[in-house]
Amino acid sequence: MKSRLTVIVCVIAAAALSVWLITSRRVFFRIDMTEEGRFTIAECTREIVSAIDEPVHIDVYLGGDIDANMVRLRHAVRDLIDEFNAYAGEKITVAYIDPNDAPDEESRYAGYECLERRGLRGMSVAVRDAHGGVSQQVVFPWAEVSAHGDTVPVCLLQPGMEASGEAAVNAAMEDHEYLFADAIRILQQRDVRKIAFIEGHGELSEAETYDISAALSRYFQVDRGVLGAEDNVLDGYDAVIVASPQEKFTETDKYIIDQYVMGGGRVLWCIDGVKVSHDRMAESGVSPLMPLDLNLQDMLFRYGVRITPTVVEDLQCAYMPVNIARPGETPKFEPMPWFYAPLLQTSPYHPITKNRSAVKGEFASVIDFPGDTAGVKKSVLLVSGNATHITAAPNDIDLNRIMSVDPQEYFTTGYAPVAAVMEGRFVSAFKNRMPPQGLNVTKAKADSSVETRMVVVGDGDVLRNDLENADGGVAIVPLGYDRMTRMTYGNKDFIISALLYLTDDMGLMELRNRTVRLRLLNKAAVMTEAQTMRWLNVLLPLAIVAAGGAAYLYLHRRRWVR
């Protein structure tokens, strides 16, 4: 009877195992027991990876023996790709490559150079060996996602973060789902999305926006042009950019942009509130500070925002070279703080600016939110530092006076808003008004918009790259790069994130708001109680095994021994 029961149990177990092996690759479930859903990917990510039509290959350049934090980063990437594969039907393959694995030093440096040429910049980290020695090792916290013959690089540790440290790795891990999902989406998308720079009002030239245009071309077809007289000229574009205009907009231009917004169009406004003469400042060190009238204030006011005719001076600022030599002596330049180039702080609460470096401004203006716009949600993206002075126009700028101010008495305000995103239903600036004469009207005028978005920045220079002479020609200085300190600020990332957020209808950018809590051990307690913990880890398992064995022997004797 007992042997028959054993056979039945074995048959049932074998059948259950067979069913599980057959269905496990098709039917699966996940249980994420972490508080913040660390191991659960978003619904929009599932849609992207489930729609993969051809195999996707990922090269991760974090192979070999590396720093412990880089190993943690590699494990996080591996877990994320495994989760992607569960919904992609195993269409994603991955290879972990060690750039330091080379037969000799010459080959290793040749490999470094090859990666650098592809835009994958390495960083140096300290590695501790088994004997306690510390050495420097070059690591490449990058991955490359390939499909359809194209490759998209993914930075696993954003520039500006420290190369080591649990907090930096934790912040990088929060972005991984968005970065990989975005790369796969770019490789799989078939429709071309278009954005446009509006011209005709003294906006930044093509050369001055070359770097940001090249970066945006990874995601969009980037066009430029004047508006003309057709009211539907912008209808084919996902977003438009108004980049530092210096001349007034006509009512026709305003109507075209307004009706584009009413139809759900998205706009990135980068507008100065004041006008400064750079030539006069270079010659005499003094320049008038005048309000810049672009004939847009009534339009923006109706939308719920105003760019004030002010300029922000910030103690937290970039530097500029100043000649400190006496008249007649050989020029001697020293870096001096340039208060009119504030390093704007990024909001940690919005996906556009979360974990982004400071953004360098230039004669930035404060924005505010007048009027009753209850249907529009406003979120501040960039603010000045905690030591700020606001100068209202009309006024003048005197470099000699600025360099001699008492910081404690001069910089008395702080956290002035310079950029914001607005979302909701906007009221038309042409409500209860007729369309301008001379406009070719092809569609009915709308007095209120559908759900849409716009980003307003009180500084037109946030997307302007510098130009410099090189070998008889003109060279493009990367956007956000400071030649004085050789630092790169977050201007490019900010503009790209702003455009991606404006055109994101899937909610993919919301993944950047994911927060993974860092739960670290109490280092003081670990150091003081290390010996106790070691003995506990050694003896406690043995004690549990011994107790279990003793209990088994006791019950066995009690049952069978009479």
Side-chain angles (χ1 to χ4, degrees), residues 235-550:
D235 288 355
Y237 292 95
D238 292 87
V240 297
I241 305 170
V242 181
S244 189
Q246 301 298 312
E247 300 171 6
K248 288 186 177 183
F249 281 66
T250 65
E251 293 300 307
T252 298
D253 292 340
K254 291 166 59 177
Y255 183 89
I256 293 173
I257 297 175
D258 177 81
Q259 290 303 296
Y260 169 71
V261 172
M262 296 304 108
R266 287 86 191 273
V267 183
L268 171 60
W269 304 90
C270 296
I271 298 178
D272 296 309
V274 295
K275 180 168 54 176
V276 179
S277 175
H278 295 274
D279 294 336
R280 293 183 62 176
M281 189 179 302
E283 293 175 1
S284 62
V286 179
S287 169
L289 182 70
M290 300 298 295
L292 180 60
D293 182 14
L294 298 172
N295 194 28
L296 290 175
Q297 291 290 21
D298 60 333
M299 184 175 177
L300 295 177
F301 187 91
R302 182 62 68 93
Y303 297 157
V305 66
R306 177 172 56 192
I307 300 174
T308 62
T310 58
V311 66
V312 173
E313 300 169 59
D314 201 329
L315 197 58
Q316 182 179 336
C317 59
Y319 284 75
M320 68 176 296
V322 175
N323 184 14
I324 62 173
R326 296 178 180 178
E329 296 181 353
T330 303
K332 182 180 180 181
F333 291 92
E334 290 287 341
M336 300 291 288
W338 180 230
F339 301 137
Y340 292 102
L343 301 182
L344 303 172
Q345 300 180 26
T346 56
S347 169
Y349 307 112
H350 198 277
I352 292 178
T353 50
K354 183 180 179 182
N355 292 334
R356 295 302 188 201
S357 303
V359 174
K360 180 184 175 184
E362 188 81 19
F363 296 104
S365 298
V366 179
I367 64 172
D368 61 14
F369 308 103
D372 182 15
T373 52
V376 179
K377 176 185 175 183
K378 310 174 185 72
S379 302
V380 175
L381 300 177
L382 300 177
V383 296
S384 63
N386 61 352
T388 302
H389 180 84
I390 308 298
T391 302
N395 212 311
D396 64 278
I397 296 176
D398 189 339
L399 298 186
N400 295 324
R401 177 176 57 84
I402 293 299
M403 296 302 175
S404 60
V405 298
D406 182 356
Q408 292 185 346
E409 295 182 0
Y410 192 72
F411 298 100
T412 55
T413 61
Y415 306 116
V418 175
V421 58
M422 303 195 301
E423 306 171 73
R425 298 180 180 273
F426 299 92
V427 177
S428 171
F430 287 83
K431 184 178 181 180
N432 302 323
R433 294 174 56 188
M434 295 294 293
Q437 293 184 354
L439 178 69
N440 184 16
V441 179
T442 62
K443 55 186 179 180
K445 180 171 70 73
D447 290 335
S448 62
S449 76
V450 298
E451 287 285 338
T452 188
R453 304 168 176 173
M454 63 177 66
V455 171
V456 180
V457 185
D459 184 3
D461 291 317
V462 293
L463 44 64
R464 179 180 62 83
N465 56 253
D466 290 332
L467 305 173
E468 63 180 8
N469 296 323
D471 299 328
V474 176
I476 303 296
V477 179
L479 177 61
Y481 180 73
D482 189 338
R483 287 169 288 181
M484 178 64 63
T485 60
R486 297 184 179 180
M487 292 182 59
T488 300
Y489 296 105
N491 296 51
K492 186 185 299 185
D493 289 335
F494 169 70
I495 297 299
I496 292 174
S497 295
L499 266 301
L500 291 178
Y501 184 80
L502 290 176
T503 59
D504 178 25
D505 295 321
M506 296 182 62
L508 189 62
M509 280 291 291
E510 291 296 335
L511 296 178
R512 298 204 66 251
N513 256 355
R514 169 168 289 185
T515 300
V516 178
R517 291 181 58 189
L518 188 62
R519 297 173 174 87
L520 300 177
L521 296 175
N522 188 324
K523 293 186 177 181
V526 170
M527 294 179 64
T528 57
E529 302 177 15
Q531 197 67 24
T532 303
M533 292 297 176
R534 291 193 188 100
W535 282 110
L536 189 63
N537 286 334
V538 172
L539 296 179
L540 184 60
L542 296 178
I544 294 174
V545 172

Side-chain angles (χ1 to χ4, degrees), residues 86-124:
Y87 296 95
E90 303 295 332
K91 293 181 181 178
I92 302 176
T93 59
V94 60
Y96 296 92
I97 301 171
D98 181 11
N100 293 291
D101 184 14
D104 51 55
E105 187 171 324
E106 183 179 352
S107 301
R108 182 166 63 252
Y109 283 114
Y112 290 169
E113 185 179 353
C114 180
L115 293 175
E116 294 274 357
R117 282 199 302 267
R118 301 209 300 267
L120 314 184
R121 301 187 62 181
M123 59 177 60
S124 179

Side-chain angles (χ1 to χ4, degrees), residues 117-261:
R117 282 199 302 267
R118 301 209 300 267
L120 314 184
R121 301 187 62 181
M123 59 177 60
S124 179
V125 297
V127 179
R128 188 178 298 275
D129 58 29
H131 304 288
V134 178
S135 60
Q136 294 294 319
Q137 185 180 33
V138 177
V139 297
F140 288 82
W142 289 86
E144 288 184 317
V145 184
S146 303
H148 301 288
D150 295 325
T151 299
V152 174
V154 173
C155 184
L156 305 177
L157 190 64
Q158 292 295 331
M161 298 181 180
E162 293 295 333
S164 61
E166 293 88 349
V169 172
N170 202 70
M173 289 165 51
E174 293 174 348
D175 273 350
H176 283 175
E177 181 180 344
Y178 166 73
L179 293 172
F180 279 103
D182 184 53
I184 293 174
R185 179 185 61 81
I186 292 172
L187 293 170
Q188 297 293 322
Q189 75 179 12
R190 296 291 180 267
D191 299 329
V192 178
R193 298 191 299 170
K194 299 192 299 182
I195 63 174
F197 283 85
I198 292 178
E199 295 182 326
H201 315 91
E203 289 89 354
L204 297 178
S205 67
E206 188 170 357
E208 291 173 314
T209 57
Y210 178 86
D211 194 42
I212 189 60
S213 297
L216 290 171
S217 64
R218 168 181 172 179
Y219 306 93
F220 309 99
Q221 174 183 316
V222 182
D223 295 337
R224 307 178 67 91
V226 297
L227 293 175
E230 300 287 337
D231 66 344
N232 61 353
V233 66
L234 298 178
D235 288 355
Y237 292 95
D238 292 87
V240 297
I241 305 170
V242 181
S244 189
Q246 301 298 312
E247 300 171 6
K248 288 186 177 183
F249 281 66
T250 65
E251 293 300 307
T252 298
D253 292 340
K254 291 166 59 177
Y255 183 89
I256 293 173
I257 297 175
D258 177 81
Q259 290 303 296
Y260 169 71
V261 172

